[in-house]
Amino acid sequence: MPADPQFSPRETTIRRSLLNNMLFMVTLFALVVLVAIFLGAEQLTQSLSRVLIGQAIDRTEEEVKQFIEPVEKTLQIVAEWVSGGRFDPATGEGGRELLLPLFRVYPQLYGGLVVDSNAQVMHVNRFEDDWRLYLVDGDGRRGARSLFPLSGTGTWSPIDYDLDPSERPWYQGAIDSGPGEIYWTDAYRFFASGYPGITAAIRASGPDGADWMVALDVLLEDISDFTRRFNVGYEGVVLVTDGTGQLIGLPNLPRFAAQSAREQAYLKRPQELDFNLATDAAAAFQPDPTGSVSLEPVRFRSEGRVWWGQGKWIPLNRSRELFTGVLVREGELLGSIKQLRVLLLTVIFLVTVFAVYRAAVLARRYSQPIRSLADQSLRISEGNLEDTPPIRSSLTEVNHLARSHEQMRKGLANLLRLEDDLQLARQIQQKTFPRSFPKTVHYDISAGSLPADATGGDTFDVVGINRADGQVRITENRPDEIYLILADVTGHGVGPALTASQVRAMFRMGVRIGRPVNEIAAHMNDQLTADAHGGRFVTAWLGSIDRHADRILMLSAGQAPILQYIREEDRVERIPADTPPFGVTADHELARLREVILKPGDILAVLSDGVFDAKAFDGERFGDLRVEELIRVNARKPAQDIILAIRDELRRFLNDSIAHDDQTGILIKRV
């Protein structure tokens, strides 16, 4: 028979090509699977263990970090309050007003201590369902008072309370650490209650410039509750130890089911408990000569069984780490593999026989639907996402593929629309920021914000007003008063952006009805406290300027430090926060305003922590000192040029690394 002139000798139809290739692939697949089943069992086991253990370690590390990070943030906030003179260990001032709201937010906090330079101690500690305040002065007089809100004010009474902070490990650790550096102790049992815990401490600068010590006692029960709930397969376990090998996260094993058994096991090493599995795992996790623990799963034996395990260090500070280990029994993995061998051998034989028959049938049905799908894919790759005629076939798989293909097309179209919506949301948020600022003879004001995501959690506003005939009018030309706000909502993205817009709207409304800064702040805090959930809060700075005066009335709710450049002395002074952030509690006092005097050439800079805490690729922090130096060097320039100088230096410092927080600032210069 003569050859068809439309085909070259090497060309073939889709139908014949599909038939030949399907037969070849089925045969090849059968051979590969057989070889893999008999020769690759160990590699498959290692791969399965790597995936299973790696996911468990990542989840455990994230859980520990979520446990630790709020404690460090709280410690830094309390240290700032110490610097601002908010505590008096001699009278107990600050214990009820400041510490208790924070302790109610984070249940893992068991107690806190503030020690001044005269060795006077303020100690807030859980007591059954209550809180108590202990004060110890240099002469050894002691007393206790209940601090739980439902208990009233309480009365002082002498107690036998032996507390010499200088002998505590956390005290010595904080002294040896750098200023502002958080020191974590090893896990231990608290002296009064016997509960297992750990203490975080920091050295702070008191109002007189002398060293104060701040410490928080943290309960470790939440870590153990997590490791006992976390199941890795049927027989896998997760455990956490401190840097000395003491157990603080107990595994999900029957021997630790009873509360009494857990109480005895806390803070003990596996050898002390005859916990052979953990002891053998620790031996397998021994670090190499460089001190590094293997990042790959390790195979070891314990009590006649073969296990796979992997460990990872979770750093707390430069000298303190926690260790998490995940262990999975090999028999659990191999058991399913052995069953899989028999099943696959049977299936491969039947599939091979059946595939020879079905290949011819299926080849006839594939060519047209596949061609249509290929044409649609080409259109999608060219950016054409318009509707196309439906692809119909008698084969369920082809129809499923066609539906999936259509869902992909619609999904891409929706993603493009969502991207447009996010860009629109960014534009709307950016438009809420003032593009120009009120102009006065005595003050030069500039501000700006760079969100970390498409939408950010920072906001700012600068509003000029005139009062006439009992009414308030917004104006930018020679206003009588200027109101300012900078707010930072925890997190960034769409959710914090909505809260940020709410904050700006409440601020604008307060300005429009002519209320002073302190009243606006009080109403904003009440509303945000009612609306806040999930531990979210808002740090904010509010200020007002009378154009005829050389002072600024302001209030900082957790927003710190505020930087004041004093031209006559060519130095920058740090102003601490006045109150806790908005949304934490409605109890703290917001009626008192701070008065800041600005002389010609002086500068007041309010910056969000996204500026101070920006980190380069190597982990270096941008820091307060770098910002202070930029303000001092550029102090003679206009306010806008100083803002741009800080932004340019931030861009150079980050060197294209990702900013993890919004960067916002307001700068006021006295002309």
Side-chain angles (χ1 to χ4, degrees):
M1 178 181 292
D4 189 334
Q6 298 184 21
F7 292 91
S8 68
R10 295 185 179 181
E11 287 182 340
T12 185
T13 63
I14 294 177
R15 175 180 169 183
R16 181 174 297 175
S17 177
L18 284 172
L19 177 59
N20 294 337
N21 282 279
M22 287 177 66
L23 291 175
F24 172 76
M25 291 303 298
V26 168
T27 304
L28 179 63
F29 174 74
L31 293 175
V32 170
V33 170
L34 288 174
V35 172
I37 289 175
F38 287 97
L39 301 181
E42 183 174 347
Q43 291 80 356
L44 182 57
T45 302
Q46 186 171 5
S47 298
L48 290 174
S49 65
R50 181 185 297 111
V51 173
L52 187 63
I53 294 174
Q55 292 176 346
I57 284 182
D58 291 342
R59 183 176 172 188
T60 304
E61 181 179 15
E62 183 64 25
E63 186 76 15
V64 172
K65 287 182 178 179
Q66 291 179 4
F67 179 83
I68 293 300
E69 288 175 357
V71 178
E72 294 184 338
K73 186 67 175 179
T74 301
L75 198 62
Q76 292 169 346
I77 290 175
V78 176
E80 292 177 359
W81 289 341
V82 166
S83 301
R86 304 302 303 274
F87 294 102
D88 185 356
T91 64
E93 180 182 354
R96 180 189 186 94
E97 301 83 358
L98 300 176
L99 293 182
L100 280 180
L102 291 176
F103 288 177
R104 287 199 295 268
V105 172
Y106 303 117
Q108 66 264 47
L109 295 179
Y110 179 72
L113 298 92
V114 176
V115 184
D116 66 9
S117 57
N118 296 319
Q120 296 184 116
V121 180
M122 176 193 300
H123 186 183
V124 177
N125 195 58
R126 289 184 190 271
F127 185 78
E128 297 177 350
D129 294 331
D130 205 345
W131 293 87
R132 286 198 175 178
L133 173 66
Y134 301 94
L135 302 180
V136 181
D137 61 21
D139 297 330
R141 294 189 297 272
R142 302 176 174 89
R145 179 172 62 178
S146 172
L147 285 184
F148 193 75
L150 298 179
S151 302
T153 59
T155 57
W156 290 105
S157 60
I159 64 170
D160 185 11
Y161 186 73
D162 184 12
L163 175 64
D164 184 358
S166 64
E167 297 179 357
R168 304 301 189 201
W170 59 261
Y171 190 97
Q172 294 298 325
I175 289 179
D176 296 337
S177 302
E181 181 179 348
I182 297 175
Y183 175 81
W184 290 86
T185 67
D186 286 324
Y188 66 100
R189 292 189 180 274
F190 294 144
F191 300 103
S193 65
Y195 294 145
I198 191 170
T199 299
I202 191 172
R203 176 155 53 102
S205 179
D208 56 356
D211 285 342
W212 288 42
M213 299 298 164
V214 180
L216 295 177
D217 291 334
V218 185
L219 294 172
L220 295 174
E221 291 179 355
D222 287 350
I223 293 180
S224 190
D225 289 343
F226 167 77
T227 54
R228 289 192 303 107
R229 292 194 313 268
F230 192 9
N231 294 318
V232 186
Y234 295 104
E235 298 185 60
V237 297
V238 178
L239 53 85
V240 179
T241 68
D242 67 359
T244 65
Q246 299 181 118
L247 286 169
I248 61 175
L250 300 175
N252 183 19
L253 293 175
R255 63 180 298 178
F256 300 119
Q259 178 68 28
S260 58
R262 294 197 297 273
E263 289 294 334
Q264 294 178 1
Y266 282 133
L267 304 187
K268 289 187 179 179
R269 294 174 176 81
Q271 299 89 330
E272 301 176 69
L273 300 171
D274 292 329
F275 189 5
N276 296 331
L277 176 59
T279 303
D280 295 336
F285 291 157
Q286 286 300 315
D288 59 24
T290 65
S292 300
V293 176
S294 174
L295 299 180
E296 296 294 327
V298 177
R299 188 172 184 267
F300 66 96
R301 286 186 173 273
S302 180
E303 297 183 339
R305 290 181 170 186
V306 179
W307 293 76
W308 288 85
Q310 187 176 348
K312 185 175 183 180
W313 289 102
I314 303 175
L316 296 179
N317 57 19
R318 290 181 300 178
S319 60
R320 195 78 62 208
E321 294 177 309
L322 299 181
F323 183 81
T324 179
V326 177
L327 312 175
V328 179
R329 192 170 69 84
E330 184 179 76
E332 182 178 344
L333 301 174
L334 286 178
S336 58
I337 293 176
K338 291 178 180 178
Q339 296 175 3
L340 187 62
R341 283 179 178 175
V342 177
L343 178 62
L344 285 178
L345 286 173
T346 305
V347 171
I348 288 172
F349 174 76
L350 296 175
V351 168
T352 303
V353 174
F354 184 68
V356 174
Y357 166 74
R358 290 296 298 172
V361 178
L362 296 177
R364 290 195 303 267
R365 302 178 185 177
Y366 284 166
S367 57
Q368 184 57 43
I370 291 176
R371 180 65 181 177
S372 299
L373 287 171
D375 292 340
Q376 287 188 9
S377 297
L378 180 60
R379 285 194 294 271
I380 291 174
S381 68
E382 294 173 348
N384 184 353
L385 300 177
E386 297 296 328
D387 290 340
T388 56
I391 297 174
R392 304 189 184 281
S393 172
S394 60
L395 297 173
T396 301
E397 292 80 4
V398 174
N399 287 329
H400 180 71
L401 181 60
R403 288 193 296 270
S404 299
H405 198 273
E406 177 65 11
Q407 291 174 358
M408 179 186 69
R409 183 192 64 79
K410 292 180 179 179
L412 289 173
N414 290 333
L415 284 176
L416 290 177
R417 285 194 294 270
L418 180 60
E419 177 65 21
D420 292 340
D421 291 343
L422 284 176
Q423 291 300 325
L424 179 60
R426 178 185 177 91
Q427 294 173 11
I428 293 173
Q429 185 186 31
Q430 292 290 319
K431 286 181 179 179
T432 64
F433 298 153
R435 297 183 178 276
S436 58
F437 306 102
K439 299 175 178 59
T440 67
V441 176
H442 301 296
Y443 292 95
D444 179 16
I445 301 174
S446 184
S449 180
L450 290 176
D453 285 340
T455 53
D458 285 6
T459 189
F460 74 92
D461 205 355
V462 182
V463 186
I465 65 170
N466 284 331
R467 301 178 188 266
D469 301 327
Q471 295 185 350
V472 175
R473 293 183 176 86
I474 304 295
T475 181
E476 289 187 1
N477 187 22
R478 299 181 63 82
D480 295 328
E481 297 176 70
I482 301 174
Y483 283 71
L484 310 96
I485 186 173
L486 185 148
D488 181 0
V489 184
T490 52
H492 47 84
V494 176
L498 293 175
T499 303
S501 298
Q502 177 189 8
V503 169
R504 178 187 176 275
M506 289 190 291
F507 172 74
R508 277 266 175 167
M509 183 61 68
V511 173
R512 284 183 177 274
I513 63 176
R515 311 313 300 171
V517 166
N518 53 340
E519 291 188 20
I520 295 175
H523 289 303
M524 290 174 63
N525 179 59
D526 290 342
Q527 188 62 48
L528 289 170
T529 302
D531 293 345
H533 58 85
R536 178 169 291 174
F537 56 85
V538 180
T539 62
W541 174 89
L542 292 83
S544 66
I545 304 174
D546 187 334
R547 72 170 186 173
H548 302 294
D550 59 354
R551 67 175 185 173
I552 297 177
L553 297 178
M554 67 178 219
L555 183 146
S556 175
Q559 186 68 45
I562 311 300
L563 304 179
Q564 180 183 2
Y565 172 73
I566 303 173
R567 181 178 177 181
E568 290 181 353
E569 303 175 14
D570 191 29
R571 67 179 181 87
V572 176
E573 180 177 336
R574 301 183 187 184
I575 302 175
D578 302 301
T579 71
F582 291 160
V584 174
T585 176
D587 297 336
H588 57 263
E589 180 64 40
L590 291 172
R592 182 176 58 190
L593 295 176
R594 184 189 296 269
E595 181 180 286
V596 176
I597 305 297
L598 292 185
K599 297 180 180 179
D602 288 0
I603 296 171
L604 188 69
V606 184
L607 304 172
S608 68
D609 56 6
V611 176
F612 299 118
D613 296 338
K615 291 184 178 180
F617 282 115
D618 59 1
E620 180 185 1
R621 182 172 173 271
F622 193 69
D624 307 357
L625 296 178
R626 187 177 273 106
V627 177
E628 294 176 6
E629 182 63 16
L630 285 169
I631 294 174
R632 193 183 65 79
V633 170
N634 296 278
R636 296 184 180 275
K637 297 179 180 180
Q640 183 178 5
D641 291 349
I642 301 175
I643 287 284
L644 291 176
I646 296 174
R647 180 179 296 180
D648 291 343
E649 181 62 18
L650 259 174
R651 186 180 294 110
R652 185 202 64 77
F653 175 80
L654 292 175
N655 191 22
D656 295 329
S657 63
I658 298 175
H660 296 288
D661 201 357
D662 309 324
Q663 300 168 355
T664 306
I666 295 178
L667 193 137
I668 307 167
K669 182 175 181 180
R670 183 75 159 86
V671 180

